Structures are given as C-alpha cells and as structure tokens.
Amino acid sequence: MNDYTTSTQGRELGWDDIIENDSPAFVTLPAGIYPFTVTGFERSRYNPTPNAKLPPCNMAVLTISIMGPDGFEVPVKDKLYLHSSCEGFLCEFFTAIGQRKHGQRVQMDWGRVQGARGYAKVGVRRYTSDGEEKSINEIKRYLDPEDKSIPNAQPLPAAPAVGYGYAATPGAPGTYAPSAGPAAQPQQQTAMPGYNGGYHPGQF
C-alpha cells in the first residue's frame, strides 16, 4: 500500500554549492500499532491500468510519518481513492485524525489533513528486487481514537487544526506496540522504485 520516495521539498543547488548531508538509512519497523503524523498531502488523479478494479477517480497522496521506538520516525506513502467503493477507508482515516466520529456524516476537510495525528495499524510488506528480499512498512488500518486495541493511548497535545486525535511523545512508554518475535528488530530498507501504495478494494 505504500512506498518510499525522495521528498520534493528543499531548494535548488548551484553547481558550486557545498554538500554534506548523506541520505538517511531506510529501516522497516516491526508490525504493530503506532502513532502517526500526516506530514504531506497532495491532490492527484488515479489513472487505472487495464483490468483495474477502480475506474479513474481523484486520489489523495499522503506522507505518513510513523513514530517508532525512541522517537525514530519512518516515512510511509499512502494513497486514498475518492471513490464510493472506498468510502469506508476514507471514513476510517478521517475518524483516526479526529475529523469525525464513528457513524457520523461529515464533509471531508482536506485543508486540515496535513499535520493531523492519530494511530494506525502498521504492517510489513516483503518483496524481491534484483534477487534480494526486501521489506517496507505499509498502513494496514487507520484506528479510531477510541479503539481498545491502542495500547495505553494518551490524549496528548494535538497538531494544529486537529480535533480529538492523538500525538506521539518520542520515547514515551506505551506509544507503540510492535509484534514479538525475530521481526522485532528494525531492518535496513531500500527504496522500492515504481511501487504504488494506497488502499485497494477487497485487499483486506
């Protein structure tokens, strides 16, 4: 559902500029429930390939910053399709960030999405590239702030323009719930070119 891409934010470099900042190492967090912040949002358009399940429609491209142990953040790309068959996923997202309550009828307010916070169930997607097995994180579900599966959730100061969503405190106990077992250690991760993220009907 997600991919890692190079951010387009920043500034143009001159031919004689000084450079010093190396690219950050990609890691994969173990599957679990994590606090997140929406750090990027853009309006786009979904143009399906032949035999796709969805017709052309509007599409929201989100950059989701997942807060892991000790305040470590992992950026994940997620896509929300503005189509009636995906309305449940849209409701799930806007409930998670505090713009609606379960069962409530609301108008989507995309102007208040960037900076919004909440909790999400994060999974690990494994794939093979150039004969090497790799992995990336993906958003499996956005969680209702009142979801009982959120471990020790604390209503902390919200980001600007957020309703009753939650924020993460780096290093605070109980702010994430990784799965137990060998996968519990972050893994080195590389970018996955051409991988398109987002929700797909019937995937869950």
Side-chain angles (χ1 to χ4, degrees):
M1 291 163 35
N2 314 296
D3 61 355
Y4 292 83
T5 60
T6 302
S7 172
T8 57
Q9 298 180 354
R11 64 180 180 84
E12 181 180 5
L13 296 175
W15 293 107
D16 299 316
D17 277 3
I18 296 173
I19 58 173
E20 60 178 328
N21 296 314
D22 295 309
S23 299
F26 288 130
V27 300
T28 303
L29 294 172
I33 295 173
Y34 294 86
F36 71 84
T37 302
V38 181
T39 55
F41 160 66
E42 62 177 290
R43 299 170 189 263
S44 187
R45 186 77 182 167
Y46 172 64
N47 295 309
T49 57
N51 301 320
K53 295 181 180 180
L54 280 178
C57 62
N58 291 324
M59 177 176 65
V61 180
L62 305 174
T63 302
I64 305 293
S65 180
I66 305 297
M67 182 68 71
D70 301 320
F72 188 84
E73 295 185 359
V74 173
V76 175
K77 286 287 187 182
D78 197 24
K79 298 178 181 179
L80 297 178
Y81 301 98
L82 277 67
H83 189 271
S84 58
S85 64
C86 301
E87 187 173 350
F89 298 129
L90 294 167
C91 286
E92 189 177 85
F93 172 71
F94 281 101
T95 299
I97 64 173
Q99 284 199 29
R100 72 183 290 273
K101 292 187 177 182
H102 184 74
Q104 185 179 18
R105 187 172 184 263
V106 298
Q107 181 177 10
M108 295 182 292
D109 189 350
W110 295 101
R112 297 171 56 209
V113 163
Q114 186 153 340
R117 303 179 182 185
Y119 279 90
K121 184 177 181 181
V122 178
V124 177
R125 177 185 291 272
R126 303 187 186 280
Y127 65 99
T128 301
S129 177
D130 297 326
E132 181 181 353
E133 184 175 316
K134 302 178 182 180
S135 62
I136 56 172
N137 284 120
E138 62 179 4
I139 304 293
K140 303 294 285 186
R141 285 189 58 206
Y142 291 102
L143 301 179
D144 188 320
E146 299 178 2
D147 192 315
K148 301 301 182 182
S149 67
I150 300 175
N152 303 320
Q154 297 293 326
L156 303 174
V162 176
Y164 60 91
Y166 293 92
T169 297
T175 55
Y176 72 104
S179 298
Q185 295 298 323
Q187 307 168 29
Q188 289 296 323
Q189 173 174 294
T190 56
M192 184 178 177
Y195 177 71
N196 293 322
Y199 286 114
H200 298 279
Q203 182 170 346
F204 304 107

